[in-house]
C-alpha cells in the first residue's frame, strides 16, 4: 500500500511543477506589465497642471484650465466657450507646454 502511495506522489510532482511554471509565466507576461502600466498612468495623472495640453480617450485635444479632485475642466479648440468638465481618468496623454 505504501508503494502505491509513493508512486502517486511522484507522478503528481511534474503536474505541480508545470502549474508553478504556468503561474510564473502568467505573472511576468500578464500581471506585472499591467501593474507597471497602471503606475505609469497614475504618475502621469498626478503630474498634470493647468496649461497642459491633453489628449482624451475619445481622441480630442484640449488645454486644462482648472483641476479639482478627480475632475478637470478642459478647453477644446480655439473657441474659448467650449469648456467641458471631465474625469481625470479620461485623459490618455499629457503634453507639457514648452518653457520659454
Amino acid at each position: 500500500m505504501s508503494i502505491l502511495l509513493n508512486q502517486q506522489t511522484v507522478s503528481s510532482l511534474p503536474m505541480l511543477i508545470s502549474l508553478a511554471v504556468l503561474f510564473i509565466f502568467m505573472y511576468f507576461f500578464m500581471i506585472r506589465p499591467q501593474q507597471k502600466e497602471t503606475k505609469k498612468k497614475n504618475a502621469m495623472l498626478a503630474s498634470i497642471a493647468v496649461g497642459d495640453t491633453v489628449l482624451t480617450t475619445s481622441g480630442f485635444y484640449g488645454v486644462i484650465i482648472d483641476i479639482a479632485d478627480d475632475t478637470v475642466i478642459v478647453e477644446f479648440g480655439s473657441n474659448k466657450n467650449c469648456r467641458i468638465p471631465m474625469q481625470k481618468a479620461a485623459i490618455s496623454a499629457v503634453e507639457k507646454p514648452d518653457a520659454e
Side-chain angles (χ1 to χ4, degrees):
M1 184 93 145
S2 66
I3 294 172
L4 182 61
L5 183 62
N6 288 337
Q7 288 176 351
Q8 287 176 348
T9 306
V10 171
S11 67
S12 66
L13 187 62
M15 185 177 74
L16 291 174
I17 291 173
S18 64
L19 281 174
V21 168
L22 177 67
F23 284 120
I24 291 171
F25 177 80
M26 285 178 54
Y27 175 76
F28 280 105
F29 288 101
M30 296 175 73
I31 298 169
R32 190 167 177 242
Q34 184 65 36
Q35 289 174 342
K36 288 175 115 179
E37 188 67 29
T38 302
K39 285 181 184 178
K40 183 179 172 183
K41 181 161 179 145
N42 288 340
M44 177 200 58
L45 292 177
S47 71
I48 61 174
V50 173
D52 290 349
T53 301
V54 295
L55 172 64
T56 64
T57 54
S58 57
F60 293 109
Y61 286 95
V63 178
I64 296 178
I65 58 170
D66 192 22
I67 299 174
D69 293 331
D70 286 340
T71 307
V72 293
I73 297 177
V74 182
E75 186 174 76
F76 294 99
S78 60
N79 183 0
K80 303 296 182 189
N81 295 326
C82 186
R83 297 177 176 183
I84 300 174
M86 59 191 334
Q87 292 182 345
K88 282 184 180 180
I91 296 173
S92 63
V94 176
E95 183 178 313
K96 298 287 184 184
D98 293 332
E100 294 180 16

